[in-house]
Amino acid sequence: MAAAESSPSIVEYFGGEDGYRCGYCKNETGNLSHGMWAHSMTVQDYQDLIDRGWRRSGKYVYKPIMNQTCCPQYTIRCQALHFQTSKSHKKVLKKMLKFISKGDISKVMGGEEPMDSHIEEVVACSHEYRSESHVSQAELTPLSVDHAEGVEAEDKDKEQMKEEVNVKKMESGSLQIHVAKDTPVPGEPSHSTKIVHALPKPGKGADLSKPPCRKAKDIRKERKLQKLLQNQMCTYEGSPLQAGDQVLLLQSSKSKTNQPKTVEDFIFVSLPDDAAHKLEVRLVPVSFEDPQFKSSFSQSAALFAKYQMAIHKDTPSDCGENEFTRFLCDSPLEAENLPNGPDCGYGSFHQQYWLDGKIIAVGVIDILPYCVSSVYLYYDPDYSFLSLGVYSALREIAFTRQLHEKAPDLRFYYMGFYIHSCPKMRYKGQYRPSDLLCPETYVWMPIEQCLPLLERSKYCRFNQDVKAGM
């Protein structure tokens, strides 16, 4: 639908006087929010609303009353163009690549959470607020170490610590002091005390007479660098390079090999012809008039029910096709196609992950003028070992960057609400750099500046400029 033909936004305001049960702290009347039913809405109007702290669940659009609700929910966005993959993000991406190419199945279960919207309130939490002096260091740094990485690497870290302790014991045992039988005269320098490196017995520690072991990763880098340097030197047709030229060539090669990999480097890597599996990601408009959406509806609805019952413990009556349609298929957003917009247009979409001909995950997203907004994710619990919550978020960040090439204003990835008072919901802050929306001035602030304030109080004004928002 062209922008000129789109209908105006039509909403019905419900108010926010009554309190409801909070899905985070379980307070029976602590959840306070404004709400309205959106019969239809333009993508620009919804963009403006989420930049003021609103959020949709189906056609219901709500905004927490931040200074009154029991668990304040702050709108969070990731700066997709500057996104840097963390160590645990790379682990998830590599795990998916190994599974697709070789069929390898990781035994480590991820601790990530999907980018949920309204149903995420089933997650319980408890939080006590104390003065800054009583906050432990462990609580102050939940976001400095990636949540998924901490879950997956906990046992490995324990084993590594044991190994390091054993190595240190062995190394200290290999450096021995041999004292001659003759006792030195007090006050005179002793010539009988000698420090020697005793060769350790097999399996009893490092052999100090040999060079120290090097990491395999460093060895591979050096070999790659030498090969690259050799190939580049061959291009000079036998003419000898000066020492300065060799140094410049070496520095240039190092800078290329040391560049960090982007999320696209992992996602769009070429796979072997004999890959064990085939993964295809399809973007489908949320419309029963669309043939792909209509043909995959039953399979997608069945996957939603399987996910809700296994992960959120819903009953079958809570996640039938009617509930699925109301929550994830009914959208107030009017589809729009603009000349300077993305090829797929703006509106609501299902991003379906097809593995070997069947859907294993669906990311529900809204494509808006300035962002891709994550609404919900549901996946097949049988594939939990692939950390599909993290993987889909990384794919959506890459998708945002891809859309930016055609629509320059589209630069952000919105992840819904960040709830600091619920520790399990802090994982959204792991996608850096990210910003939180100030609930009073509606100015975006870097999350690093917001976290110390949230440790002192669950409700905060992030922007300290007294003139902001006036």
Side-chain angles (χ1 to χ4, degrees), residues 158-188:
K158 291 179 180 178
E159 295 175 2
Q160 183 67 21
M161 288 177 63
K162 290 180 181 178
E163 292 177 0
E164 290 176 358
V165 170
N166 291 335
V167 168
K168 288 181 179 179
K169 287 181 178 178
M170 293 176 187
E171 290 178 351
S172 62
S174 64
L175 183 63
Q176 301 176 3
I177 300 178
H178 296 268
V179 182
K181 292 182 180 179
D182 299 333
T183 304
V185 179
E188 294 182 3

Side-chain angles (χ1 to χ4, degrees), residues 242-259:
Q242 299 297 325
D245 295 332
Q246 293 182 12
V247 171
L248 291 175
L249 187 58
L250 184 63
Q251 291 176 347
S252 175
S253 302
K254 281 186 176 181
S255 64
K256 292 179 181 178
T257 57
N258 290 336
Q259 287 180 352

Side-chain angles (χ1 to χ4, degrees), residues 254-305:
K254 281 186 176 181
S255 64
K256 292 179 181 178
T257 57
N258 290 336
Q259 287 180 352
K261 285 189 175 182
T262 65
V263 63
E264 290 85 0
D265 292 332
F266 292 97
I267 291 176
F268 302 117
V269 65
S270 57
L271 296 172
D273 295 334
D274 59 346
H277 300 283
K278 179 182 179 182
L279 179 67
E280 181 184 0
V281 181
R282 302 177 187 174
L283 185 70
V284 181
V286 179
S287 171
F288 284 98
E289 297 179 0
D290 183 83
Q292 285 190 334
F293 180 82
K294 190 174 181 180
S295 63
S296 62
F297 175 81
S298 297
Q299 185 181 169
S300 188
L303 178 63
F304 169 76

Side-chain angles (χ1 to χ4, degrees), residues 306-377:
K306 183 178 181 180
Y307 169 81
Q308 291 297 130
M309 289 187 288
I311 305 300
H312 295 301
K313 311 305 178 185
D314 283 2
T315 64
S317 60
D318 293 330
C319 50
E321 287 194 358
N322 290 335
E323 288 71 24
F324 171 66
T325 301
R326 176 182 56 81
F327 176 52
L328 297 177
C329 300
D330 287 346
S331 171
L333 300 185
E334 299 288 341
E336 294 184 18
N337 288 284
L338 301 176
N340 59 343
D343 294 334
C344 59
Y346 300 105
S348 299
F349 297 83
H350 282 189
Q351 203 163 36
Q352 301 173 341
Y353 295 78
W354 290 76
L355 180 68
D356 301 333
K358 73 171 185 177
I359 304 176
I360 64 165
V362 177
V364 183
I365 60 175
D366 292 330
I367 300 179
L368 303 175
Y370 307 138
C371 72
V372 169
S373 175
S374 176
V375 178
Y376 200 67
L377 172 82

Side-chain angles (χ1 to χ4, degrees), residues 99-138:
F99 174 73
I100 296 173
S101 59
K102 301 179 181 179
D104 290 350
I105 298 177
S106 174
K107 299 298 183 183
V108 181
M109 305 299 285
E112 84 289 345
E113 291 292 330
M115 293 299 175
D116 293 351
S117 177
H118 198 58
I119 290 185
E120 72 189 2
E121 292 183 359
V122 299
V123 181
C125 82
S126 61
H127 187 77
E128 297 179 359
Y129 288 91
R130 292 148 287 179
S131 63
E132 187 175 13
S133 60
H134 292 96
V135 179
S136 66
Q137 183 62 29

